[in-house]
Amino acid sequence: MNRKRTSLLLLFSLAGAFLDAQSQDAGKSLSQKLGFPRDAKLLIVHADDVGMTHSVNAATIKALDTGLVNSASIMVPCPWFPEIADYAKSHPDIDFGLHLTLTSERVYYRWGPVAPKDKVPSLVDENGYFHHDWSPQTHIDPKDAEIELRAQIDRAYAMGIHPTHLDSHQYRLISSGKELFEVFLRVAHAYKLPFFVTHDWFAENPYLAPSLSFNDIVLDHTVTISTPVPREKWNDFYKTALRDIQPGVTEFVIHVAFADDEMKAATRERDTWGAAWRQRDFDFFTSQEFRRLLQEQNIRLVTWRQLASAVDQ
Amino acid sequence: MNRKRTSLLLLFSLAGAFLDAQSQDAGKSLSQKLGFPRDAKLLIVHADDVGMTHSVNAATIKALDTGLVNSASIMVPCPWFPEIADYAKSHPDIDFGLHLTLTSERVYYRWGPVAPKDKVPSLVDENGYFHHDWSPQTHIDPKDAEIELRAQIDRAYAMGIHPTHLDSHQYRLISSGKELFEVFLRVAHAYKLPFFVTHDWFAENPYLAPSLSFNDIVLDHTVTISTPVPREKWNDFYKTALRDIQPGVTEFVIHVAFADDEMKAATRERDTWGAAWRQRDFDFFTSQEFRRLLQEQNIRLVTWRQLASAVDQ
């Protein structure tokens, strides 16, 4: 009887400690869960669009080698996916996620779904590629989107990638309404993968916050360069962004590639996210100046892998 | 009555002339049908694999511009197909055929079917790409092949190409047995397009000749370089081939590209048909030396478009 009572007491006290830890954890900021003080400035320097071209792959690998770019996400439907899958397989520590893709936004170089085209008819144009763009008239069936997202993730695992996170090419799954966001959520939960959302997007997309569950990771901020920034102001934009960085976890979404013949040809119909744009991002984020700014501003780099394991604990 | 009799006589005499022309035509060689003497040395300088990469597209366009390469064929399933389709559309006089493709033979850069994958299951590997290679264990269902070939041709027309001929990537439709050759034939006849076969292949593939119909165009000879030729003997191989060229219509099957970063990466797992190989072909077939040899040997260039219209007459 005595032993039984002792065991019971021990059990109660363990349960109490566990609940206490949980409620303490619930009050913690994402930075604190990562083991940093609440006012730490934490940054993910994240290269998008890996797999799109060889040029993007080569530039991303070189940028990751510097350690200054520390996370990236891969487009499974793209032609150069096998090259980066092979690299990811032989470099399992790199923080590679999947850049879930439902559009083929260039003109001279295109890709289509991983799922059979006839299983995802609302995602493809008359030639079988993903739509070049979605207009208000494009009806994307959420069922088709779910089939395709699962096919992309399944192919990634089958080809040896263990993704650390998911995000959405051109933010299509974030900014196209509640239904598609819920597909993104459902798929991420099914595969137990964190996914990129940030408080910065909540005001403009009011369906985001109510759909999220308590355990989902939500980054504090994000920064990405956009068309109004002229090329001569490129580095100034990033320098200012680094000086203005807020406490919490921020993701810089960048696009690296070399401005070589392949990349120029693939993006020649418009300058936005084109070859020169991506070369400028590569140049800044692999520079000593960027390294110095990180140190000066006391900014620490963190990865999606760290986030996932901090929240899992 | 008199007028009727005259008409009837006229009709008979026209019919007689037609049959006579036909029987004369039947005795004519392909060269004669083209309006050349029987002993003329006629050559198609044909660049394969257009659409495979941007590098192949750019080199092919440059080679065609010299006039020394005068025909080419396009791989519809490849990622850079839209670039070359756009070019073909705006250059309708160029002798572009379709390079019907059922394999994806590289490692780091791959493509899959134009038809929905689940409609052509025997053509794809476990990741949904065309098989890297066909082993004796690979069972290619001729029904799947026909669905896919038609899908490739349909997409080409839909995207503005009017092909002058068909041929087969890696000769798979020629050398893989009677059933697949008959699919090739059936599809070519259905679309009323000439297709590349040559007497040179008849001995090794005994099912070819009996399957052909009387009106099919059969080239006299073909020449293509292969692995035993070391790189320092490249030009010598072609010079000898040009000096040895026989009367009749010969097709030189060549592979052009620039040995740039994209092409090197796309073909880096083996040298055969790799970046350097294709750069050597480009260099020789756009050289003044090649132009001079054509003149010296009195070799005339002809196209598939000329062949088709000569045989149609």
Side-chain angles (χ1 to χ4, degrees):
Chain A
M1 277 294 273
N2 237 4
R3 276 183 72 190
K4 251 192 192 163
R5 196 176 300 150
T6 317
S7 302
L8 212 63
L9 276 171
L10 190 66
L11 195 68
F12 274 119
S13 96
L14 276 173
F18 175 74
L19 289 170
D20 205 40
Q22 266 232 323
S23 75
Q24 269 179 27
D25 205 57
K28 279 185 179 174
S29 71
L30 200 50
S31 306
Q32 288 172 312
K33 287 180 192 166
L34 283 160
F36 291 94
R38 187 181 277 274
D39 63 350
K41 293 185 281 185
L42 306 177
L43 182 62
I44 306 170
V45 186
H46 189 278
D48 279 23
D49 297 355
V50 196
M52 182 187 272
T53 61
H54 170 66
S55 175
V56 170
N57 287 352
T60 304
I61 290 169
K62 204 164 171 189
L64 288 165
D65 278 347
T66 65
L68 292 168
V69 173
N70 71 334
S71 186
S73 62
I74 297 174
M75 297 170 80
V76 180
C78 287
W80 283 93
F81 171 70
E83 179 180 61
I84 202 70
D86 182 76
Y87 183 83
K89 211 168 139 180
S90 59
H91 295 77
D93 295 335
I94 292 184
D95 197 48
F96 277 126
L98 301 181
H99 200 52
L100 300 171
T101 298
L102 298 176
T103 45
S104 175
E105 71 274 18
R106 293 294 171 176
V107 170
Y108 300 105
Y109 175 71
R110 309 201 64 199
W111 50 83
V114 172
K117 291 174 190 75
D118 54 353
K119 291 284 189 297
V120 293
S122 72
L123 304 185
V124 297
D125 68 14
E126 68 279 14
N127 294 312
Y129 301 109
F130 281 136
H131 294 293
H132 175 260
D133 201 357
W134 293 353
S135 74
Q137 284 73 47
T138 319
H139 172 67
I140 299 296
D141 186 331
K143 283 197 216 77
D144 293 1
E146 182 158 352
I147 290 168
E148 175 58 20
L149 299 187
R150 286 174 177 270
Q152 293 182 14
I153 301 170
D154 290 344
R155 184 194 273 181
Y157 278 107
M159 290 178 68
I161 296 178
H162 294 273
T164 58
H165 64 289
L166 301 176
D167 57 17
S168 165
H169 185 51
Q170 302 186 316
Y171 306 110
R172 298 282 170 164
L173 299 166
I174 302 293
S175 57
S176 309
K178 187 175 178 354
E179 272 195 309
L180 278 185
F181 181 64
E182 287 186 343
V183 168
F184 184 35
L185 265 181
R186 190 160 53 244
V187 169
H189 290 160
Y191 288 86
K192 300 193 195 318
L193 288 167
F195 51 94
F196 177 32
V197 278
T198 158
H199 293 284
D200 285 356
W201 298 335
F202 285 180
E204 205 174 326
N205 305 283
Y207 47 87
L208 298 182
S211 303
L212 290 167
S213 66
F214 183 74
N215 289 324
D216 292 328
I217 295 173
V218 180
L219 301 197
D220 297 294
H221 300 292
T222 189
V223 170
T224 194
I225 206 163
S226 58
T227 33
V229 179
R231 60 186 63 199
E232 65 277 10
K233 298 280 183 198
W234 214 258
N235 290 6
D236 289 345
F237 171 88
Y238 286 126
K239 281 188 246 175
T240 306
L242 287 164
R243 284 192 191 111
D244 291 351
I245 218 164
Q246 297 298 305
V249 182
T250 298
E251 176 165 317
F252 270 28
V253 174
I254 68 170
H255 301 83
V256 303
F258 299 128
D260 58 12
D261 288 344
E262 178 202 20
M263 203 65 212
K264 284 182 200 164
T267 60
R268 68 181 178 273
E269 76 282 4
R270 59 185 163 87
D271 291 337
T272 41
W273 294 279
W277 174 303
R278 290 168 192 254
Q279 180 73 59
R280 288 195 294 276
D281 267 9
F282 176 84
D283 292 343
F284 182 79
F285 286 98
T286 59
S287 70
Q288 285 310 315
E289 187 179 15
F290 175 52
R291 190 184 296 274
R292 195 176 41 75
L293 281 162
L294 289 177
Q295 286 163 353
E296 267 179 25
Q297 303 296 320
N298 199 24
I299 296 165
R300 314 289 191 88
L301 299 189
V302 293
T303 62
W304 276 100
R305 180 175 280 120
Q306 283 172 273
L307 284 171
S309 70
V311 169
D312 259 5
Q313 277 163 10
Chain B
M1 276 297 271
N2 236 5
R3 273 183 75 191
K4 251 193 190 162
R5 195 177 301 150
T6 316
S7 303
L8 212 62
L9 276 170
L10 188 67
L11 195 67
F12 274 120
S13 96
L14 276 172
F18 175 75
L19 289 170
D20 206 40
Q22 266 232 323
S23 74
Q24 271 179 26
D25 205 57
K28 279 185 179 174
S29 71
L30 201 50
S31 306
Q32 288 171 312
K33 288 181 193 165
L34 284 161
F36 291 93
R38 189 181 277 272
D39 63 350
K41 294 186 280 186
L42 306 176
L43 182 63
I44 306 171
V45 186
H46 189 278
D48 279 23
D49 297 355
V50 196
M52 182 187 272
T53 62
H54 169 67
S55 176
V56 170
N57 287 352
T60 304
I61 290 169
K62 204 164 171 188
L64 288 165
D65 277 347
T66 65
L68 293 168
V69 174
N70 72 334
S71 186
S73 61
I74 297 173
M75 297 171 79
V76 180
C78 287
W80 283 93
F81 171 70
E83 179 181 60
I84 202 69
D86 182 76
Y87 183 83
K89 210 169 140 179
S90 59
H91 295 77
D93 295 337
I94 292 184
D95 197 48
F96 276 127
L98 301 182
H99 199 52
L100 299 171
T101 298
L102 298 177
T103 45
S104 175
E105 70 274 19
R106 292 294 171 175
V107 170
Y108 300 105
Y109 175 70
R110 308 202 64 201
W111 50 83
V114 172
K117 292 174 189 75
D118 55 353
K119 293 283 188 298
V120 292
S122 72
L123 304 184
V124 297
D125 67 15
E126 67 281 13
N127 294 312
Y129 301 109
F130 281 136
H131 294 293
H132 176 260
D133 200 357
W134 293 353
S135 76
Q137 285 72 47
T138 318
H139 172 68
I140 300 296
D141 187 330
K143 282 197 217 78
D144 294 0
E146 181 157 350
I147 290 169
E148 175 58 20
L149 299 186
R150 287 174 177 269
Q152 293 183 15
I153 301 171
D154 290 342
R155 183 193 274 182
Y157 278 108
M159 289 178 70
I161 297 178
H162 295 273
T164 58
H165 63 290
L166 301 176
D167 57 17
S168 166
H169 185 51
Q170 301 186 317
Y171 307 110
R172 296 283 169 163
L173 298 166
I174 301 294
S175 56
S176 309
K178 187 176 181 344
E179 271 194 310
L180 278 185
F181 181 63
E182 287 188 342
V183 168
F184 185 33
L185 267 181
R186 188 158 55 244
V187 169
H189 289 159
Y191 288 87
K192 301 192 195 317
L193 288 167
F195 51 94
F196 177 33
V197 277
T198 159
H199 294 284
D200 286 356
W201 298 335
F202 285 180
E204 204 174 327
N205 305 283
Y207 47 86
L208 297 182
S211 303
L212 290 167
S213 67
F214 183 74
N215 289 323
D216 292 329
I217 295 172
V218 179
L219 301 197
D220 297 295
H221 299 293
T222 188
V223 171
T224 194
I225 205 161
S226 58
T227 33
V229 179
R231 59 186 63 201
E232 65 277 11
K233 297 279 182 200
W234 214 257
N235 291 6
D236 289 345
F237 171 87
Y238 286 127
K239 280 187 246 175
T240 307
L242 287 163
R243 286 195 189 109
D244 292 350
I245 218 164
Q246 298 298 305
V249 181
T250 298
E251 176 164 317
F252 270 28
V253 174
I254 68 169
H255 300 84
V256 302
F258 298 127
D260 58 13
D261 288 344
E262 178 201 19
M263 203 66 212
K264 283 182 201 164
T267 60
R268 69 181 178 271
E269 75 281 4
R270 59 184 163 89
D271 291 337
T272 40
W273 295 278
W277 174 303
R278 291 168 192 253
Q279 180 74 58
R280 288 195 294 276
D281 267 8
F282 176 85
D283 291 344
F284 181 79
F285 285 98
T286 58
S287 70
Q288 285 310 315
E289 187 178 17
F290 175 51
R291 190 184 296 274
R292 195 175 43 74
L293 282 162
L294 289 177
Q295 285 163 355
E296 268 179 26
Q297 303 297 320
N298 199 24
I299 296 165
R300 314 288 190 88
L301 299 189
V302 293
T303 62
W304 276 100
R305 181 175 280 120
Q306 283 172 272
L307 285 171
S309 69
V311 169
D312 261 4
Q313 278 163 10

